[in-house]
Amino acid sequence: MEKNIVRTRYAPSPTGFMHIGNLRTALYEYLISKSLGGKFILRIEDTDKCRYVEGAQDVIYSTLKKVGLIHDEGPDIGGDFGPYIQSQRKDIYLKYAMKLIEEGKAYYCFCDKERLENLKKSEDSLEYGGYDRHCRGLDKSFVDSMLKSNKPYVIRQKMPIDGSTKFIDEVYGEITVENKELQDQILIKADGFPTYNFANVVDDYLMGITHIVRGCEYLSSTPKYNLLYEAFGWKIPKYIHLPLIMGKNEDGSLSKLSKRHGSVSFEDLVNDGYLPQAIVNYIAMLGWCPNDNREIFSLEDLIKNFSIDRINKSPSVFDYDKLSWFNQEYIKAKSDDDLLQLFTPYIKKSISSSNIDYLKIVKTIRNRVTKLSEIPDMIDFIQLLPEYKIDLFINKKSKTNLENSLFVLKKVKERLLKLDIWNHESIHDLLIDMAKEMKLKNGTLMWPVRIAVSGKLVTPGGAVEILDILGKDESINRIDFGINKLENEGDR
């Protein structure tokens, strides 16, 4: 292993989709390693079989790939410190637990579930973190007899009874925990698998991890990790605990981000129409701030600008409106050709006609789209004119009413029928010239035309863009329909 090289690891459990908090942890670990010229390792922690979800490991791989967090070592690409899946390392953990037993730093615990349940109800559970250390001083001959009789057991670490344990976190500073609050933690469970804490420490040491990045909810668990490092005589890594990500409740209060706040997994956000690059950019800001007021960062820019000392202590609030702003900025920055490829699947959800030029739609809506999922509803009127009420022709700002709307539509129909070249420029010039000739404000002429061809109060483009997209025949048909609608319903 290279000396002094920074090594971080993302160690998710395959329990479902990737939560935004987990993705932020992965991102910060990646940024810390890459900004310091180090390596980013992926390790799958699958020892909790009760929570394992089939296919979740593939979700981890695909998500990291989509957001550009390419690991240097991992289960799928290998490395010098594998295997990188914890369930394949079972024998490693037992060996280290036995070492602690031999050195008098750990012990066999034969307490059954019934005794532990009764202990929870007693006053003794208030001390030593909840376990009364009943098996801590068992006679060796008794332990040997229990083992020979195949009595189920767990292996617990002997935690210090007095004093306190201190550690330095790179974000929160010095943290102190009283040792009397610490339970003699279980290292090996009754099924032979290691606990999360024990496996983490052993793996991190063997894989040379120098920086541990995780949520601040794990601050209180860190002394348990450090006491294990000390028991083995290993160097303690640097800790970087990240602030909570909060969500806004309906009553205005804040609580830890969860499904009741909306889409909280990466997959959900992508399905909701957010771009992976926008998601990464936004979650980078949930706990970290740059040296200036800049907000838009590519992944390469984040690597160049990221530093641990700019990570905040205060909780961050996940703001969907702010994420939508980021998303819109990323959409605007793309070329028309890139957006054509990106928008086409969503356009097809509303439009099946082969006569429609998708590129014209892209150019019309590109600066109005905040989420890709908005596109089908935004353009559905292009495929089929919806039912609408003639009241839509009335607009105070544009100074339109039913009477002048009918007059305008008849005049526009006459002129459009004579238009030989049908494109954005020719349509625009014709309508602007008509407004001048008729001594009308542009809005007074454009409003009824747009309503007639869209049937909607709000559209992503104006009258000119919609006429151009629809083509001459469909545009004339819709204007004619609007004329008939005004004539037949206007007097009711």
Side-chain angles (χ1 to χ4, degrees):
M1 186 185 300
E2 299 174 63
K3 289 186 177 180
N4 302 320
I5 188 171
V6 169
R7 289 173 61 86
T8 65
R9 51 77 174 158
Y10 178 50
S13 298
T15 56
F17 295 112
M18 192 178 292
H19 187 277
I20 286 303
N22 294 334
L23 181 57
R24 184 190 63 172
T25 299
L27 174 62
Y28 281 25
E29 287 171 321
Y30 178 85
L31 294 176
I32 288 170
S33 66
K34 296 306 174 184
S35 65
L36 297 174
K39 292 190 175 182
F40 174 60
I41 291 86
L42 174 64
R43 186 174 74 226
I44 304 296
E45 300 190 342
D46 63 341
T47 54
D48 190 344
K49 296 303 179 182
C50 294
R51 298 178 62 222
Y52 179 83
V53 174
E54 191 70 33
Q57 193 166 310
D58 292 332
V59 171
I60 294 168
Y61 294 141
S62 64
T63 300
L64 293 179
K65 183 178 180 180
K66 286 176 183 176
V67 297
L69 305 186
I70 308 303
H71 46 283
D72 299 293
E73 302 168 25
D76 53 338
I77 59 175
D80 295 333
F81 305 96
Y84 293 89
I85 297 178
Q86 279 190 339
S87 60
Q88 298 173 7
R89 301 169 64 84
K90 181 180 177 181
D91 295 340
I92 296 175
Y93 310 120
L94 185 59
K95 179 181 71 173
Y96 281 95
M98 294 303 297
K99 184 176 188 295
L100 291 182
I101 288 180
E102 292 167 6
E103 295 176 356
K105 299 173 182 176
Y107 60 94
Y108 295 101
C109 175
F110 301 97
C111 293
D112 57 27
K113 183 181 287 188
E114 183 180 358
R115 183 181 188 281
L116 294 174
E117 288 296 328
N118 290 332
L119 181 61
K120 288 181 181 179
K121 303 172 185 176
S122 69
E123 293 184 1
D124 291 339
S125 67
L126 301 177
E127 294 185 309
Y128 308 129
Y131 176 62
D132 62 358
R133 296 172 174 167
H134 175 75
C135 295
R136 182 166 170 141
L138 294 178
D139 182 77
K140 185 179 184 302
S141 60
F142 177 79
V143 171
D144 289 342
S145 66
M146 295 292 275
L147 293 175
K148 287 179 181 179
S149 63
N150 293 319
K151 175 73 173 178
Y153 65 84
V154 300
I155 298 178
R156 292 181 181 268
Q157 182 186 6
K158 288 183 178 180
M159 306 292 267
I161 297 174
D162 301 316
S164 60
T165 298
K166 298 180 180 180
F167 72 95
I168 300 295
D169 180 76
E170 299 296 309
V171 176
Y172 290 87
E174 185 177 278
I175 306 292
T176 302
V177 176
E178 297 300 318
N179 290 331
K180 65 181 180 181
E181 299 175 6
L182 303 176
Q183 182 180 141
D184 277 7
Q185 63 178 329
I186 296 174
L187 307 181
I188 302 295
K189 297 178 290 185
D191 61 5
F193 279 97
T195 57
Y196 177 83
N197 288 348
F198 186 55
N200 257 276
V201 170
V202 173
D203 286 343
D204 287 341
Y205 168 73
L206 293 178
M207 294 181 181
I209 303 304
T210 61
H211 294 64
I212 306 295
V213 184
R214 58 192 180 195
C216 64
E217 61 267 33
Y218 294 104
L219 271 169
S220 61
S221 300
T222 304
K224 299 177 183 179
Y225 290 75
N226 283 1
L227 288 169
L228 275 170
Y229 278 102
E230 291 173 0
F232 285 116
W234 296 340
K235 182 180 179 180
I236 296 174
K238 290 186 177 182
Y239 291 103
I240 300 101
H241 285 86
L242 309 179
L244 287 173
I245 300 178
M246 311 294 282
K248 293 180 182 178
N249 300 318
E250 290 184 1
D251 62 1
S253 62
L254 300 176
S255 60
K256 188 176 179 180
L257 187 66
S258 65
K259 279 197 173 290
R260 68 174 175 272
H261 299 117
S263 300
V264 295
S265 76
F266 173 80
E267 198 75 18
D268 286 343
L269 290 174
V270 171
N271 291 337
D272 205 22
Y274 293 102
L275 303 181
Q277 296 81 7
I279 297 171
V280 167
N281 193 159
Y282 178 60
I283 65 172
M285 303 299 177
L286 295 177
W288 173 81
C289 59
N291 291 315
D292 51 28
N293 294 323
R294 181 180 172 189
E295 291 186 285
I296 302 298
F297 288 86
S298 66
L299 189 58
E300 292 73 21
D301 291 335
L302 285 170
I303 292 172
K304 293 176 184 177
N305 289 273
F306 195 86
S307 61
I308 296 172
D309 60 359
R310 302 294 297 179
I311 297 175
N312 302 321
K313 297 179 184 178
S314 303
S316 301
V317 179
F318 194 93
D319 186 337
Y320 292 90
D321 291 336
K322 187 65 175 180
L323 174 59
S324 293
W325 177 84
F326 272 98
N327 205 50
Q328 188 171 34
E329 292 300 304
Y330 272 82
I331 290 172
K332 287 179 180 179
K334 290 184 177 294
S335 68
D336 287 337
D337 288 338
D338 286 341
L339 289 182
L340 178 61
Q341 185 175 358
L342 194 63
F343 285 7
T344 291
Y346 295 89
I347 294 174
K348 286 183 175 179
K349 290 181 179 181
S350 284
I351 298 174
S352 58
S353 174
S354 59
N355 297 324
I356 300 297
D357 186 338
Y358 285 7
L359 186 57
K360 289 183 179 180
I361 295 177
V362 168
K363 291 179 178 180
T364 299
I365 69 175
R366 58 167 297 133
N367 292 329
R368 295 172 174 87
V369 175
T370 57
K371 297 189 298 181
L372 301 182
S373 56
E374 298 170 342
I375 294 174
D377 288 341
M378 187 181 286
I379 63 171
D380 57 0
F381 68 91
I382 295 173
Q383 176 69 27
L384 182 66
L385 182 68
E387 293 285 341
Y388 66 93
K389 295 181 179 180
I390 60 173
D391 292 348
L392 292 185
F393 286 106
I394 302 172
N395 184 268
K396 187 176 180 180
K397 184 178 179 181
S398 297
K399 296 184 178 180
T400 61
N401 53 46
L402 299 182
E403 185 178 355
N404 63 14
S405 291
L406 178 59
F407 175 74
V408 164
L409 288 181
K410 287 182 176 180
K411 292 294 184 183
V412 169
K413 177 186 172 182
E414 290 176 8
R415 295 290 288 271
L416 288 178
L417 282 168
K418 300 175 183 178
L419 189 62
D420 294 327
I421 299 175
W422 192 274
N423 58 35
H424 186 282
E425 184 179 2
S426 63
I427 297 167
H428 173 271
D429 292 346
L430 183 147
L431 295 182
I432 294 298
D433 289 344
M434 282 189 69
K436 289 179 181 178
E437 292 172 14
M438 298 167 69
K439 297 182 179 180
L440 296 174
K441 288 188 174 182
N442 290 343
T444 308
L445 184 135
M446 297 290 188
W447 184 273
V449 174
R450 187 181 64 81
I451 295 298
V453 294
S454 71
K456 299 181 79 169
L457 187 63
V458 178
T459 54
V464 175
E465 289 84 0
I466 297 171
L467 288 166
D468 184 28
I469 291 170
L470 291 174
K472 185 173 183 177
D473 290 344
E474 180 65 16
S475 296
I476 298 298
N477 287 339
R478 292 190 181 194
I479 290 174
D480 204 32
F481 179 82
I483 291 171
N484 292 331
K485 194 174 185 68
L486 285 166
E487 288 179 335
N488 296 327
E489 299 177 25
D491 295 330
R492 293 180 187 176

